[in-house]
Amino acid sequence: MRKSIVLKSAMLLVGLVFFLSCGTDKKKIDYPKTDLTTSALIPKPLKMIATNSAFGLDSKTVIYTDQNNNGFQEVGDFLANKIKTRLNLEIPVNNTADVSVERIIYIHQTDTLESDAPEAYQLYIKSDSILLNANTAAGAFRGIQTLRQLIPEQSNDTLSEQPMWLIPTGKIDDAPNFEYRGAMLDVARHFFTVEEVKKYIDILAYYKYNAFHMHLTDDQGWRIEIKSWPKLTEIGGQTEVGGGAGGFYTQEEFKDLVAYAAQRHIQIIPEVDMPGHTNAASFSYPILNGNGKTLEAYTGTHVGFSTFDSRKDTVYSFLDDVIREIAAISPSPYFHIGGDESHATKKSDYIHFVEKVEKLVQKHGKIMVGWNEIAQAKISPSSVNQFWNEPHNAIKAAENGNKIIMSPAKKAYLDMQYDSLSKHGLHWAAYIPVDDAYNWDPESYVEGLSKASILGLEAPLWSETISNSFELEYLAFPRAIGYAELAWTPAELRDWNDYKKRLVGQVAYMNYMDINFYRTTLVNWEK
Ligand code: TNX
C-alpha cells in the first residue's frame, strides 16, 4: 500500500518534470543573483545552501501535492490561499487543466529526510520548481511558512509580462529543536473574541508555533460553556478585570477555534485553573467554595484568595463533568489544570486535590499539565510540569519523570513590561526588553535540568492589563517572534545581532497583518 503511494507520487513528479521540460513556449528568464542564506527567516532554519538564482512565482506557477488523504492537499490549499490574499495571485492546486504552466511547487510526503521529526521538512528551490519534502503534513505546513517568508513584498515587473515574485534558490534542511512550541493567552482576566484569538493564532502559525494554551478560567471570569453547569457562563462569564462585560465561548465556538488552529497544525490546550483562581466558578456555584468567605464577583487583579473545597465530593463530581465536556471537544492530548498560586488551600488539601484531579484527567483520556506547584503532589510520570517560578519544583518533576514546559516568568512572560515606560504589562518578575527576551537558553536556564526532560517552550500572556488585539499585540510582538526562534532553532545558531536584522525583515508582514508591535529602540526598524 505504502509502496504504491510512493510510486504514484514519484510517477506524478516524473510526469510533471517531463511536462515542464517539454513546454515549447517556455522562456528562458535571466534571473538576478540572490542569496538564500541572507533571507530574513524566523525561526532560522538548521541548514541553508544558496544557489544564487531565483524561482519566479507568477500566474504560470501551479501547486501540486500528494493526494493520498494525508493532509498534504490542505497544506497546498493553505499556501494558495495565502498567496491569493497577499499577492492577489491565483495559483491552482492539483489542477492540470491549464497548459501554460511553467513552474511548479510540489509538496510531497517522503520518508527519506535526515530527520524523522514529524515537523522536519526540506525545501529544494530551483529556477523552475520548488520541491517541499516532509514526513507529515505538519512538516509540510512548517515548510510553507518558510516559503511564505521568502516571498518578497514587491514583484519584479520587468522579467515577464505579468508580475513575478522572486524567491531565492537553494536548499533548506530544517527541523525543530523542541517538539512543543507554545503561546498562552489568558482570556479570563479579560475576554478576547473568537476573531481576536484567531488573528493571534494566525500570526503564531507564521512563526511555526504548534501549541496554543488557553487560560479559560480564573477569579475574574469563566469563559467556556459547560452544558451540565450552565451558571458558570451565565454568571461567571459576565465579569472581567475592571468591571467590563466579560464573555465566553460556546462549545461550538470553541470547536471552531480548535479547527482553525488545527488547520494551522496548532493544538489548543485548554486550561481550567484550580483549586485556586476559582472565584468565578464558586460565585456561580457556591457549593464549590472552600475559603469560607462570602462570595462576590471579582474584578480586581489580586491572586491567591480563592479555593475549591478539596474535601467535598461535589467538587469532584463537578470537575468530572467539566473535564468530560471539555475533553470531548478538545483533540489535544493535554488538559491543563492550572494548580498555581493556591495560597488559600492548605498544602495537604492541595496535594489531595491535584492527585484526585489527575485521575479525572486521565479517566477522560488526557495527559495532565499543571503549573510548577503540582510537583508537590505524587503524580504519574506521564503528566507535564510547566515551569514558571520555582526551579526546585521543575527539578523535582523531572526526577519524577515528568516532562517540563519552560515558561520562566523572568524571561518568557509576554505580560512583563519592556521597561518602566511600557504602556501595558506588569513587572513583578522583571522588565523584559526585546533583547533580554531573546538572549537566554531554555535548555540551560534551570541548572540541573537536562534537555531530555524539556518538552519545549511556552510564552504566556496574562491579561490583567490588556483587553483587545491592539494591546495584546503591543506586549506579544516582537517578543513572541523571538520565542519562536528559541523554541525552534538550536542555541548554537542563534545570535542577537543576526536576529535583529531578520526581525527588521518582519516589518512588512507585521504591517500587512496590521500588528501593533512595540517599536523598541534596540532595533533599527528604518533599515
Ligand atoms: C502569576 S504565572 C500568575 C497569574 C498572573 C501572572 C501575572 C502563574 C502561573 N500565575 O495568575 O496573571 O502572574 O504576571
Side-chain angles (χ1 to χ4, degrees):
M1 176 64 192
R2 175 127 206 102
K3 253 196 183 146
S4 78
I5 290 173
V6 172
L7 199 67
K8 220 174 99 194
S9 311
M11 278 165 61
L12 174 66
L13 187 62
V14 170
L16 287 171
V17 171
F18 181 72
F19 167 73
L20 282 169
S21 54
C22 287
T24 43
D25 59 348
K26 228 182 113 184
K27 287 163 214 77
K28 176 107 183 70
I29 301 171
D30 220 356
Y31 291 112
K33 218 169 146 49
T34 65
D35 185 356
L36 177 68
T37 62
T38 58
S39 302
L41 294 173
I42 301 180
K44 194 182 182 77
L46 266 187
K47 287 186 204 158
M48 282 190 278
I49 298 168
T51 51
N52 310 112
S53 182
F55 174 94
L57 175 68
D58 68 357
S59 58
K60 294 182 175 161
T61 310
V62 292
I63 296 173
Y64 288 102
T65 71
D66 277 2
Q67 293 168 64
N68 306 314
N69 270 334
N70 54 5
F72 278 62
Q73 165 129 17
E74 288 76 5
V75 172
D77 288 337
F78 186 91
L79 177 61
N81 211 283
K82 292 295 178 190
I83 290 175
K84 172 145 197 325
T85 44
R86 179 116 193 232
L87 311 179
N88 195 23
L89 178 66
E90 196 112 30
I91 303 277
V93 181
N94 295 331
N95 180 352
T96 37
D98 186 352
V99 281
S100 64
V101 172
E102 295 197 358
R103 278 166 295 281
I104 62 165
I105 299 172
Y106 185 50
I107 306 177
H108 175 59
Q109 198 282 326
T110 176
D111 297 323
T112 61
L113 294 190
E114 263 176 54
S115 163
D116 58 8
E119 293 173 284
Y121 70 91
Q122 190 178 55
L123 264 172
Y124 282 105
I125 307 169
K126 299 183 184 168
S127 287
D128 58 5
S129 67
I130 294 178
L131 179 56
L132 169 56
N133 286 322
N135 296 320
T136 68
F141 188 80
R142 305 306 166 220
I144 66 164
Q145 307 317 311
T146 303
L147 201 49
R148 287 173 71 195
Q149 292 190 7
L150 289 171
I151 301 173
E153 257 323 270
Q154 299 301 329
S155 59
N156 181 316
D157 295 349
T158 57
L159 289 174
S160 66
E161 311 88 73
Q162 64 283 318
M164 184 179 259
W165 286 264
L166 298 182
I167 297 175
T169 57
K171 187 181 167 199
I172 295 178
D173 261 296
D174 204 6
N177 194 34
F178 286 115
E179 71 172 74
Y180 185 99
R181 305 177 306 282
M184 186 211 82
L185 181 62
D186 170 7
V187 294
R189 268 52 176 274
H190 281 102
F191 181 65
F192 291 82
T193 64
V194 167
E195 286 317 306
E196 287 170 329
V197 174
K198 282 184 176 174
K199 183 180 178 192
Y200 194 32
I201 290 175
D202 210 27
I203 304 164
L204 296 170
Y206 189 72
Y207 294 105
K208 300 189 174 71
Y209 278 83
N210 66 1
F212 185 64
H213 164 187
M214 295 183 78
H215 182 77
L216 289 166
T217 69
D218 213 302
D219 292 318
Q220 299 87 345
W222 183 285
R223 307 293 177 213
I224 178 132
E225 176 192 22
I226 303 296
K227 294 186 198 284
S228 52
W229 296 77
K231 286 185 194 166
L232 288 170
T233 45
E234 285 167 14
I235 296 174
Q238 311 303 315
T239 46
E240 64 181 7
V241 166
F248 67 91
Y249 311 111
T250 63
Q251 293 201 356
E252 286 308 308
E253 286 170 330
F254 184 77
K255 283 197 251 176
D256 178 43
L257 277 175
V258 166
Y260 188 86
Q263 212 196 5
R264 287 151 185 78
H265 293 272
I266 289 179
Q267 59 167 313
I268 291 189
I269 293 109
E271 177 188 349
V272 173
D273 201 353
M274 53 187 141
H277 292 277
T278 44
N279 190 76
S282 293
F283 181 56
S284 309
Y285 290 102
I287 192 162
L288 305 170
N289 189 29
N291 73 6
K293 298 195 180 137
T294 313
L295 292 155
E296 283 172 61
Y298 186 66
T299 59
T301 59
H302 291 156
V303 298
F305 60 89
S306 57
T307 183
F308 282 152
D309 185 340
S310 69
R311 300 287 166 180
K312 209 182 266 167
D313 287 346
T314 314
V315 167
Y316 299 101
S317 310
F318 163 79
L319 290 173
D320 194 11
D321 288 336
V322 168
I323 297 168
R324 173 177 47 78
E325 287 198 32
I326 296 176
I329 54 173
S330 173
S332 164
Y334 301 112
F335 185 94
H336 204 304
I337 66 145
D340 58 315
E341 300 173 318
S342 290
H343 308 317
T345 322
K346 271 207 308 214
K347 186 169 172 180
S348 55
D349 288 349
Y350 176 84
I351 289 171
H352 173 74
F353 180 87
V354 170
E355 290 169 3
K356 283 197 68 130
V357 173
E358 184 189 53
K359 298 282 175 304
L360 290 177
V361 171
Q362 291 171 345
K363 172 181 157 192
H364 295 294
K366 302 295 178 187
I367 299 168
M368 182 177 80
V369 188
W371 296 104
N372 53 213
E373 289 94 322
I374 64 162
Q376 299 169 90
K378 209 169 159 351
I379 56 176
S380 25
S382 58
S383 291
V384 173
N385 185 293
Q386 183 163 11
F387 165 69
W388 68 283
N389 72 340
E390 297 167 330
H392 67 274
N393 270 329
I395 298 281
K396 189 170 174 216
E399 281 166 3
N400 186 49
N402 304 117
K403 286 275 197 293
I404 314 295
I405 295 172
M406 295 295 294
S407 302
K410 290 184 172 107
K411 295 290 180 189
Y413 265 30
L414 286 167
D415 65 314
M416 290 299 118
Q417 291 175 295
Y418 293 97
D419 57 34
S420 62
L421 300 175
S422 284
K423 274 189 242 142
H424 307 286
L426 305 169
H427 57 258
W428 64 264
Y431 290 113
I432 310 183
V434 176
D435 54 349
D436 279 11
Y438 183 83
N439 281 320
W440 64 285
D441 183 10
E443 246 170 89
S444 57
Y445 186 78
V446 173
E447 219 184 297
L449 193 65
S450 74
K451 184 178 180 202
S453 293
I454 303 176
L455 190 63
L457 172 69
E458 182 179 294
L461 179 46
W462 302 97
S463 64
E464 286 93 333
T465 66
I466 55 168
S467 61
N468 54 45
S469 284
F470 192 75
E471 296 166 358
L472 176 164
E473 287 160 11
Y474 172 86
L475 286 175
F477 299 104
R479 287 181 296 196
I481 299 175
Y483 297 136
E485 181 149 304
L486 261 60
W488 182 281
T489 309
E492 58 274 18
L493 294 181
R494 300 197 303 260
D495 173 74
W496 164 249
N497 287 319
D498 169 58
Y499 170 74
K500 238 179 8 178
K501 285 190 227 136
R502 288 180 286 119
L503 188 54
V504 176
Q506 307 307 309
V507 171
Y509 172 73
M510 290 198 283
N511 286 342
Y512 166 74
M513 289 294 286
D514 197 20
I515 298 172
N516 175 38
F517 67 98
Y518 168 66
R519 274 108 177 132
T520 171
T521 53
L522 295 168
V523 171
N524 182 3
W525 300 107
E526 304 308 323
K527 256 205 217 148

Short mmCIF file of all heavy atoms in Angstrom, two decimals, residues 184-216:
data_model
loop_
_atom_site.label_atom_id
_atom_site.label_comp_id
_atom_site.label_asym_id
_atom_site.label_seq_id
_atom_site.Cartn_x
_atom_site.Cartn_y
_atom_site.Cartn_z
N MET A 184 0.60 31.12 25.35
CA MET A 184 -0.63 31.06 26.15
C MET A 184 -1.31 32.41 26.14
O MET A 184 -0.65 33.45 26.16
CB MET A 184 -0.29 30.69 27.60
CG MET A 184 -1.53 30.46 28.46
SD MET A 184 -1.28 30.90 30.20
CE MET A 184 -1.54 32.68 30.15
N LEU A 185 -2.63 32.38 26.07
CA LEU A 185 -3.39 33.62 26.23
C LEU A 185 -4.39 33.45 27.37
O LEU A 185 -5.14 32.47 27.43
CB LEU A 185 -4.12 33.98 24.92
CG LEU A 185 -4.93 35.28 24.97
CD1 LEU A 185 -4.03 36.49 25.23
CD2 LEU A 185 -5.72 35.47 23.68
N ASP A 186 -4.36 34.43 28.27
CA ASP A 186 -5.30 34.48 29.39
C ASP A 186 -6.56 35.20 28.88
O ASP A 186 -6.55 36.41 28.68
CB ASP A 186 -4.61 35.24 30.54
CG ASP A 186 -5.53 35.60 31.69
OD1 ASP A 186 -6.69 35.15 31.70
OD2 ASP A 186 -5.05 36.33 32.60
N VAL A 187 -7.61 34.41 28.65
CA VAL A 187 -8.87 35.02 28.18
C VAL A 187 -9.84 35.19 29.36
O VAL A 187 -11.01 35.54 29.16
CB VAL A 187 -9.53 34.17 27.07
CG1 VAL A 187 -8.67 34.17 25.83
CG2 VAL A 187 -9.81 32.74 27.55
N ALA A 188 -9.32 34.93 30.58
CA ALA A 188 -10.17 35.00 31.78
C ALA A 188 -10.13 36.39 32.42
O ALA A 188 -11.18 36.93 32.78
CB ALA A 188 -9.73 33.94 32.78
N ARG A 189 -8.95 36.98 32.57
CA ARG A 189 -8.88 38.30 33.19
C ARG A 189 -9.59 39.32 32.31
O ARG A 189 -10.32 40.18 32.78
CB ARG A 189 -7.42 38.70 33.42
CG ARG A 189 -6.87 38.32 34.78
CD ARG A 189 -7.09 36.83 35.12
NE ARG A 189 -6.48 36.48 36.39
CZ ARG A 189 -5.20 36.11 36.51
NH1 ARG A 189 -4.43 35.97 35.43
NH2 ARG A 189 -4.70 35.83 37.70
N HIS A 190 -9.35 39.25 31.02
CA HIS A 190 -10.15 39.98 30.03
C HIS A 190 -10.53 38.98 28.95
O HIS A 190 -9.72 38.14 28.57
CB HIS A 190 -9.37 41.14 29.40
CG HIS A 190 -9.30 42.35 30.27
ND1 HIS A 190 -8.17 42.67 30.98
CD2 HIS A 190 -10.22 43.32 30.53
CE1 HIS A 190 -8.39 43.80 31.67
NE2 HIS A 190 -9.63 44.21 31.41
N PHE A 191 -11.74 39.14 28.45
CA PHE A 191 -12.20 38.23 27.40
C PHE A 191 -11.69 38.70 26.04
O PHE A 191 -11.63 39.90 25.77
CB PHE A 191 -13.73 38.19 27.40
CG PHE A 191 -14.30 37.27 26.37
CD1 PHE A 191 -14.07 35.91 26.44
CD2 PHE A 191 -15.05 37.77 25.30
CE1 PHE A 191 -14.58 35.05 25.48
CE2 PHE A 191 -15.56 36.92 24.34
CZ PHE A 191 -15.32 35.55 24.43
N PHE A 192 -11.30 37.76 25.20
CA PHE A 192 -10.91 38.06 23.81
C PHE A 192 -11.87 37.32 22.89
O PHE A 192 -12.18 36.15 23.13
CB PHE A 192 -9.45 37.65 23.56
CG PHE A 192 -8.48 38.53 24.30
CD1 PHE A 192 -8.20 38.29 25.65
CD2 PHE A 192 -7.88 39.62 23.69
CE1 PHE A 192 -7.33 39.11 26.36
CE2 PHE A 192 -7.00 40.45 24.39
CZ PHE A 192 -6.73 40.20 25.73
N THR A 193 -12.32 38.00 21.86
CA THR A 193 -13.31 37.39 20.97
C THR A 193 -12.68 36.30 20.11
O THR A 193 -11.46 36.23 19.97
CB THR A 193 -13.93 38.44 20.02
OG1 THR A 193 -12.87 38.92 19.18
CG2 THR A 193 -14.54 39.61 20.78
N VAL A 194 -13.54 35.48 19.50
CA VAL A 194 -13.07 34.43 18.60
C VAL A 194 -12.19 35.04 17.50
O VAL A 194 -11.12 34.51 17.18
CB VAL A 194 -14.28 33.67 17.99
CG1 VAL A 194 -13.84 32.79 16.83
CG2 VAL A 194 -14.97 32.84 19.07
N GLU A 195 -12.62 36.17 16.96
CA GLU A 195 -11.85 36.79 15.88
C GLU A 195 -10.48 37.25 16.37
O GLU A 195 -9.47 37.11 15.67
CB GLU A 195 -12.62 37.97 15.26
CG GLU A 195 -13.78 37.55 14.37
CD GLU A 195 -13.44 36.38 13.43
OE1 GLU A 195 -12.44 36.48 12.69
OE2 GLU A 195 -14.16 35.35 13.44
N GLU A 196 -10.43 37.82 17.57
CA GLU A 196 -9.15 38.26 18.14
C GLU A 196 -8.21 37.08 18.38
O GLU A 196 -7.01 37.15 18.09
CB GLU A 196 -9.38 39.03 19.45
CG GLU A 196 -9.97 40.42 19.22
CD GLU A 196 -10.43 41.11 20.50
OE1 GLU A 196 -10.87 40.42 21.46
OE2 GLU A 196 -10.37 42.34 20.55
N VAL A 197 -8.78 35.98 18.88
CA VAL A 197 -7.96 34.80 19.13
C VAL A 197 -7.44 34.22 17.81
O VAL A 197 -6.28 33.84 17.69
CB VAL A 197 -8.75 33.74 19.94
CG1 VAL A 197 -7.96 32.45 20.07
CG2 VAL A 197 -9.10 34.28 21.33
N LYS A 198 -8.31 34.20 16.81
CA LYS A 198 -7.89 33.66 15.51
C LYS A 198 -6.75 34.47 14.90
O LYS A 198 -5.82 33.92 14.31
CB LYS A 198 -9.07 33.64 14.53
CG LYS A 198 -10.03 32.49 14.78
CD LYS A 198 -11.12 32.48 13.72
CE LYS A 198 -12.04 31.28 13.91
NZ LYS A 198 -13.19 31.33 12.99
N LYS A 199 -6.82 35.77 15.06
CA LYS A 199 -5.74 36.61 14.49
C LYS A 199 -4.41 36.25 15.17
O LYS A 199 -3.38 36.10 14.50
CB LYS A 199 -6.05 38.09 14.67
CG LYS A 199 -4.99 38.97 14.04
CD LYS A 199 -5.24 40.46 14.17
CE LYS A 199 -4.08 41.25 13.55
NZ LYS A 199 -4.12 42.67 13.90
N TYR A 200 -4.45 36.08 16.49
CA TYR A 200 -3.21 35.74 17.21
C TYR A 200 -2.69 34.37 16.72
O TYR A 200 -1.51 34.20 16.43
CB TYR A 200 -3.49 35.74 18.71
CG TYR A 200 -2.26 35.73 19.60
CD1 TYR A 200 -1.08 36.37 19.20
CD2 TYR A 200 -2.27 35.11 20.85
CE1 TYR A 200 0.05 36.37 20.02
CE2 TYR A 200 -1.15 35.11 21.68
CZ TYR A 200 0.01 35.74 21.25
OH TYR A 200 1.12 35.74 22.06
N ILE A 201 -3.59 33.41 16.60
CA ILE A 201 -3.20 32.07 16.15
C ILE A 201 -2.58 32.13 14.75
O ILE A 201 -1.58 31.46 14.46
CB ILE A 201 -4.42 31.11 16.17
CG1 ILE A 201 -4.83 30.81 17.62
CG2 ILE A 201 -4.13 29.81 15.42
CD1 ILE A 201 -6.10 29.97 17.75
N ASP A 202 -3.16 32.93 13.91
CA ASP A 202 -2.67 33.04 12.53
C ASP A 202 -1.21 33.54 12.51
O ASP A 202 -0.38 33.04 11.76
CB ASP A 202 -3.57 33.99 11.74
CG ASP A 202 -3.61 33.61 10.27
OD1 ASP A 202 -3.41 32.43 9.94
OD2 ASP A 202 -3.81 34.52 9.45
N ILE A 203 -0.93 34.52 13.35
CA ILE A 203 0.43 35.07 13.41
C ILE A 203 1.39 34.02 14.01
O ILE A 203 2.50 33.82 13.52
CB ILE A 203 0.47 36.37 14.23
CG1 ILE A 203 -0.52 37.40 13.66
CG2 ILE A 203 1.88 36.95 14.24
CD1 ILE A 203 -0.85 38.54 14.62
N LEU A 204 0.95 33.36 15.05
CA LEU A 204 1.80 32.33 15.68
C LEU A 204 2.16 31.23 14.68
O LEU A 204 3.29 30.75 14.64
CB LEU A 204 1.09 31.73 16.90
CG LEU A 204 0.83 32.69 18.07
CD1 LEU A 204 -0.08 32.04 19.11
CD2 LEU A 204 2.13 33.16 18.72
N ALA A 205 1.19 30.87 13.85
CA ALA A 205 1.43 29.82 12.84
C ALA A 205 2.53 30.23 11.87
O ALA A 205 3.34 29.39 11.44
CB ALA A 205 0.14 29.52 12.08
N TYR A 206 2.56 31.50 11.53
CA TYR A 206 3.56 32.02 10.59
C TYR A 206 4.99 31.83 11.12
O TYR A 206 5.94 31.71 10.37
CB TYR A 206 3.28 33.51 10.35
CG TYR A 206 4.05 34.18 9.25
CD1 TYR A 206 3.78 33.92 7.91
CD2 TYR A 206 5.05 35.13 9.55
CE1 TYR A 206 4.47 34.57 6.90
CE2 TYR A 206 5.74 35.79 8.54
CZ TYR A 206 5.44 35.50 7.22
OH TYR A 206 6.12 36.15 6.21
N TYR A 207 5.11 31.79 12.47
CA TYR A 207 6.42 31.61 13.09
C TYR A 207 6.61 30.18 13.64
O TYR A 207 7.45 29.94 14.50
CB TYR A 207 6.63 32.69 14.16
CG TYR A 207 6.72 34.06 13.51
CD1 TYR A 207 5.66 34.96 13.57
CD2 TYR A 207 7.82 34.41 12.74
CE1 TYR A 207 5.72 36.19 12.91
CE2 TYR A 207 7.89 35.63 12.08
CZ TYR A 207 6.83 36.51 12.17
OH TYR A 207 6.90 37.72 11.50
N LYS A 208 5.79 29.26 13.14
CA LYS A 208 5.96 27.82 13.40
C LYS A 208 5.63 27.38 14.83
O LYS A 208 6.10 26.34 15.29
CB LYS A 208 7.37 27.35 13.00
CG LYS A 208 7.69 27.56 11.51
CD LYS A 208 9.01 26.88 11.14
CE LYS A 208 9.31 26.92 9.66
NZ LYS A 208 9.66 28.24 9.10
N TYR A 209 4.84 28.16 15.55
CA TYR A 209 4.31 27.65 16.83
C TYR A 209 3.43 26.44 16.54
O TYR A 209 2.79 26.37 15.48
CB TYR A 209 3.45 28.73 17.51
CG TYR A 209 4.23 29.77 18.27
CD1 TYR A 209 4.79 30.87 17.62
CD2 TYR A 209 4.39 29.67 19.65
CE1 TYR A 209 5.49 31.84 18.33
CE2 TYR A 209 5.08 30.63 20.36
CZ TYR A 209 5.64 31.71 19.70
OH TYR A 209 6.32 32.66 20.41
N ASN A 210 3.34 25.52 17.50
CA ASN A 210 2.43 24.39 17.30
C ASN A 210 1.48 24.15 18.47
O ASN A 210 0.75 23.16 18.47
CB ASN A 210 3.19 23.11 16.94
CG ASN A 210 4.07 22.61 18.07
OD1 ASN A 210 4.11 23.19 19.15
ND2 ASN A 210 4.78 21.52 17.83
N ALA A 211 1.53 25.03 19.48
CA ALA A 211 0.63 24.86 20.63
C ALA A 211 0.09 26.20 21.09
O ALA A 211 0.83 27.20 21.14
CB ALA A 211 1.39 24.19 21.77
N PHE A 212 -1.19 26.23 21.36
CA PHE A 212 -1.83 27.45 21.86
C PHE A 212 -2.62 27.07 23.11
O PHE A 212 -3.60 26.33 23.04
CB PHE A 212 -2.74 28.04 20.79
CG PHE A 212 -3.35 29.36 21.19
CD1 PHE A 212 -2.54 30.47 21.42
CD2 PHE A 212 -4.72 29.51 21.31
CE1 PHE A 212 -3.07 31.69 21.80
CE2 PHE A 212 -5.27 30.73 21.68
CZ PHE A 212 -4.45 31.82 21.93
N HIS A 213 -2.14 27.56 24.23
CA HIS A 213 -2.71 27.22 25.55
C HIS A 213 -3.68 28.34 25.92
O HIS A 213 -3.32 29.50 25.92
CB HIS A 213 -1.50 27.08 26.49
CG HIS A 213 -1.77 27.10 27.96
ND1 HIS A 213 -0.76 27.12 28.88
CD2 HIS A 213 -2.91 27.10 28.68
CE1 HIS A 213 -1.26 27.13 30.11
NE2 HIS A 213 -2.56 27.13 30.01
N MET A 214 -4.93 27.94 26.20
CA MET A 214 -5.93 28.96 26.56
C MET A 214 -6.25 28.86 28.05
O MET A 214 -6.78 27.85 28.52
CB MET A 214 -7.20 28.77 25.73
CG MET A 214 -6.96 29.02 24.26
SD MET A 214 -8.48 28.89 23.28
CE MET A 214 -9.24 30.48 23.65
N HIS A 215 -5.93 29.93 28.76
CA HIS A 215 -6.23 30.03 30.19
C HIS A 215 -7.69 30.47 30.29
O HIS A 215 -8.01 31.65 30.22
CB HIS A 215 -5.26 31.04 30.80
CG HIS A 215 -5.40 31.22 32.27
ND1 HIS A 215 -4.92 30.32 33.20
CD2 HIS A 215 -5.97 32.21 33.01
CE1 HIS A 215 -5.17 30.74 34.42
NE2 HIS A 215 -5.82 31.89 34.34
N LEU A 216 -8.59 29.46 30.40
CA LEU A 216 -10.02 29.70 30.19
C LEU A 216 -10.78 30.14 31.43
O LEU A 216 -11.93 30.59 31.32
CB LEU A 216 -10.68 28.41 29.66
CG LEU A 216 -10.32 28.02 28.22
CD1 LEU A 216 -10.75 26.58 27.94
CD2 LEU A 216 -10.99 28.96 27.21
#
